[in-house]
Amino acid sequence: MARREGGAPMARRLEGKVVLVTGAGSGIGRATALACVREGAKVVAADVLVASGEATVAQSKQEGGEATFVQADVSRAAAVAALIVKAVATYGRIDCAHNNAGIEGAMAMTADYPEDDWDRVIGVNLKGVWLCMKYELPHMLRQGSGAIVNTSSLVGLVGARRMSAYVASKHGVAGLTKTAALEYAKSGIRINAVCPGIIRTPMVERAFLSRHTDLEDRLARAEPIGRLGTPEEVAEAVVWLCSDAASFVTGHTLSVDGGIYAQ
């Protein structure tokens, strides 16, 4: 446990909370799961990839935390319903949720975008977030409290060429977040979104950095801070939004982007 100057232990921000994280097998999801464990939460780590999700749980336990893995494809209603049932059966409640699972999809001009890829990206990135909230919210309503953080993106706020499905899905997440926040604000449930900029994740490595040897330098130069972000920096924003420190924050799309959206 972290300690204040002088040796007194610091209160952990999610002590005693149960947090569900989707897409927990890598990148921002894994960083969030680990950050929540360090802040005293019990974590339900969900991912479609078993080995990756189990690795996150193993790392959580190595750090002295409590976590369990549930395999789930968030684009399927039955899988999401089963995930929520398992989370509640395991820990008795869901206090916070980070609906984070997402895929990048194809890179193509809008008129050339493959329909199957479009449906898959929207299914995971947008429908998946909606399904998670659809099944999380009834439990939070019964509890009379809850905090949800959805993962949108910098391109949920602006456009980006050759990424029509991804951009549309992340704009949809931002709008869905604001709508749900208004609907449930008086029910003790806060709903916000993080909008990561250029973050060094396996998705970004796979989709962009591995294809162009000089791209990382060009992206870093485009960032006012002068570098790419880390999953851990996004995770810290998620933890804050889940914590009581953000008790008057709802319906917000929080950019975690090194200042690039301010340009």
Side-chain angles (χ1 to χ4, degrees), residues 136-174:
E136 291 157 358
L137 283 164
H139 289 279
M140 292 180 175
L141 285 168
R142 284 193 287 272
Q143 294 164 188
S145 65
I148 294 173
V149 181
N150 299 321
T151 297
S152 180
S153 171
L154 173 64
V155 298
L157 305 172
V158 299
R161 296 175 180 86
R162 300 177 60 81
M163 299 177 64
S164 57
Y166 188 82
V167 170
S169 72
K170 293 303 185 177
H171 272 75
V173 169

Side-chain angles (χ1 to χ4, degrees), residues 204-218:
V204 169
E205 293 274 3
R206 178 176 63 248
F208 301 107
L209 301 184
S210 64
R211 300 183 183 187
H212 307 282
T213 56
D214 65 335
L215 183 58
E216 181 172 351
D217 288 340
R218 288 191 282 128

Side-chain angles (χ1 to χ4, degrees), residues 82-244:
L83 165 63
I84 303 307
V85 168
K86 177 66 173 178
V88 174
T90 302
Y91 293 125
R93 58 190 293 118
I94 300 174
D95 297 292
C96 311
H98 182 201
N99 300 322
N100 167 75
I103 58 174
E104 69 272 26
M107 299 288 290
M109 297 291 282
T110 298
D112 302 322
Y113 206 90
E115 184 176 355
D116 288 347
D117 281 355
W118 174 277
D119 290 342
R120 179 62 176 156
V121 171
I122 297 298
V124 174
N125 294 6
L126 179 54
K127 182 183 176 184
V129 169
W130 170 70
L131 284 173
C132 286
M133 289 202 295
K134 178 178 175 64
Y135 290 100
E136 291 157 358
L137 283 164
H139 289 279
M140 292 180 175
L141 285 168
R142 284 193 287 272
Q143 294 164 188
S145 65
I148 294 173
V149 181
N150 299 321
T151 297
S152 180
S153 171
L154 173 64
V155 298
L157 305 172
V158 299
R161 296 175 180 86
R162 300 177 60 81
M163 299 177 64
S164 57
Y166 188 82
V167 170
S169 72
K170 293 303 185 177
H171 272 75
V173 169
L176 179 61
T177 297
K178 292 174 184 289
T179 296
L182 294 175
E183 292 173 340
Y184 297 98
K186 292 184 179 178
S187 299
I189 301 169
R190 296 183 300 101
I191 305 173
N192 295 287
V194 286
C195 298
I198 306 167
I199 310 298
R200 185 185 292 283
T201 64
M203 180 188 292
V204 169
E205 293 274 3
R206 178 176 63 248
F208 301 107
L209 301 184
S210 64
R211 300 183 183 187
H212 307 282
T213 56
D214 65 335
L215 183 58
E216 181 172 351
D217 288 340
R218 288 191 282 128
L219 291 173
R221 287 195 298 271
E223 285 279 9
I225 282 183
R227 63 173 176 81
L228 275 59
T230 68
E232 290 74 20
E233 288 170 315
V234 181
E236 284 298 317
V238 175
V239 168
W240 178 72
L241 287 170
C242 286
S243 76
D244 291 341

Side-chain angles (χ1 to χ4, degrees), residues 13-86:
R13 291 175 287 176
L14 300 177
E15 192 71 56
K17 303 284 189 181
V18 176
V19 181
L20 169 65
V21 182
T22 67
S26 66
I28 292 167
R30 174 175 287 178
T32 297
L34 295 173
C36 289
V37 161
R38 294 179 191 121
E39 292 293 340
K42 298 174 182 177
V43 171
V44 179
D47 203 282
V48 71
L49 300 177
V50 174
S52 299
E54 288 180 341
T56 297
V57 168
Q59 188 171 345
S60 299
K61 292 179 177 179
Q62 288 171 3
E63 297 190 14
E66 187 171 348
T68 190
F69 170 68
V70 181
Q71 183 182 23
D73 176 352
V74 298
S75 69
R76 297 178 55 247
V80 176
L83 165 63
I84 303 307
V85 168
K86 177 66 173 178

